[in-house]
């Protein structure tokens, strides 16, 4: 039994390996699960964490955001290459690295705790979708409150305080139904549409800001984001408030 089979019992046989695409259109047709992974990531970091960071600190961390975007691309590419060339899954490769071990390598433990945090993150994302849908269509929250006995009941008081909960439940159930349907091609096409739409809307919003007086982005603002420094700690004295990014509006 070779190393690939010992690490991955579902290793792809040699006759199933295809030649890499030689045109851009053929490459787009081979996106596959990668676009689904991108769809699950975009929104939690790129559209929530970075915008919150900009609202709090202005353009100060622009250099750090761009640096992390570049680094993670090459890290993911190299992880994919080593998995393909060795025939071992990424966790199997990480487990062979030197360093502290407790049954498995410390980096595998790090991955495990990251997955646990991701589960909580998924719950936060579902809640965020529920909040957005409740702002757009608040009728479901009011209907659910009345269906549960109104504000006089304990559940009704909870729904009154958190009217986004019904939409969060609907969102979670819709995701479960979509996954149980087993239609991978449908999920891939839907995710592709969502990723392209989010990218287009984000870029369009940035361009539209240039026609505003208060939130337009100047070259001076962008240059201030490449000072390569962090804010001082509490002992460093007061710090002038930075110009907030447009997302703070």
């Amino acid at each position: 039994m070779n190393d690939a089979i010992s690490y991955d019992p579902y290793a792809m046989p040699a006759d199933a390996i295809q030649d890499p695409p030689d045109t851009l259109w053929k490459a787009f047709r081979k996106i596959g699960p990668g676009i689904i992974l991108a769809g699950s990531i975009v929104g939690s970091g790129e559209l929530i964490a970075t915008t919150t960071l900009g609202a709090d600190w202005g353009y100060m961390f622009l250099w750090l955001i761009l640096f992390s975007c570049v680094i993670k691309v090459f890290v993911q590419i190299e992880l994919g290459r080593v998995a393909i060339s060795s025939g071992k899954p990424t966790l199997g490769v990480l487990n062979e690295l030197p360093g502290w071990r407790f049954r498995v390598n410390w980096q595998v433990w790090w991955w495990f705790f990251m997955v646990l945090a991701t589960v909580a993150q998924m719950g936060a994302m579902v809640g965020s979708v529920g909040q957005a849908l409740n702002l757009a269509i608040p009728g479901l929250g009011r209907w659910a409150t009345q269906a549960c006995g109104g504000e006089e009941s304990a559940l009704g008081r909870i729904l009154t305080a958190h009217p986004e909960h019904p939409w969060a439940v609907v969102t979670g159930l819709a995701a479960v139904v979509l996954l149980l349907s087993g239609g991978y091609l449908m999920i891939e096409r839907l995710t592709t549409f969502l990723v392209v739409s989010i990218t287009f809307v984000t870029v369009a919003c940035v361009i539209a800001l240039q026609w505003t007086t208060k939130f337009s982005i100047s070259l001076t603002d962008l240059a201030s984001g490449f000072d390569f420094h962090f804010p001082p700690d509490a002992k460093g004295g007061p710090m002038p408030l930075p110009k907030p990014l447009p997302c703070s509006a």
Side-chain angles (χ1 to χ4, degrees), residues 179-201:
L179 293 175
L180 291 179
S181 65
Y184 169 79
L185 185 59
M186 178 182 63
I187 296 176
E188 180 180 313
R189 290 176 176 174
L190 177 61
T191 306
T192 302
F193 171 76
L194 291 176
V195 171
V196 173
S197 300
I198 291 174
T199 303
F200 174 79
V201 170

Side-chain angles (χ1 to χ4, degrees), residues 88-209:
K88 304 173 184 178
T90 304
L91 288 179
V93 175
L94 293 178
N95 194 39
E96 294 181 346
L97 295 177
W100 177 82
R101 299 180 64 87
F102 178 71
R103 295 183 180 273
V104 293
N105 188 274
W106 68 271
Q107 295 201 47
V108 178
W109 282 110
W110 186 262
W111 170 86
F112 173 73
F113 291 122
M114 181 188 68
V115 171
L116 293 181
T118 302
V119 174
Q121 182 188 43
M122 292 297 178
M125 293 174 65
V126 171
S128 299
V129 173
Q131 289 180 335
L133 289 173
N134 180 68
L135 291 174
I137 311 175
L140 179 63
R142 293 193 293 265
W143 175 83
T145 301
Q146 295 299 322
C148 293
E151 298 183 9
E152 293 76 15
S153 64
L155 184 57
R157 288 192 293 270
I158 294 177
L159 293 178
T160 301
H162 301 282
E164 72 277 4
H165 283 184
W167 274 118
V169 172
V170 171
T171 302
L173 292 177
V176 171
V177 172
L178 185 62
L179 293 175
L180 291 179
S181 65
Y184 169 79
L185 185 59
M186 178 182 63
I187 296 176
E188 180 180 313
R189 290 176 176 174
L190 177 61
T191 306
T192 302
F193 171 76
L194 291 176
V195 171
V196 173
S197 300
I198 291 174
T199 303
F200 174 79
V201 170
T202 303
V203 174
C205 289
V206 173
I207 296 175
L209 287 173

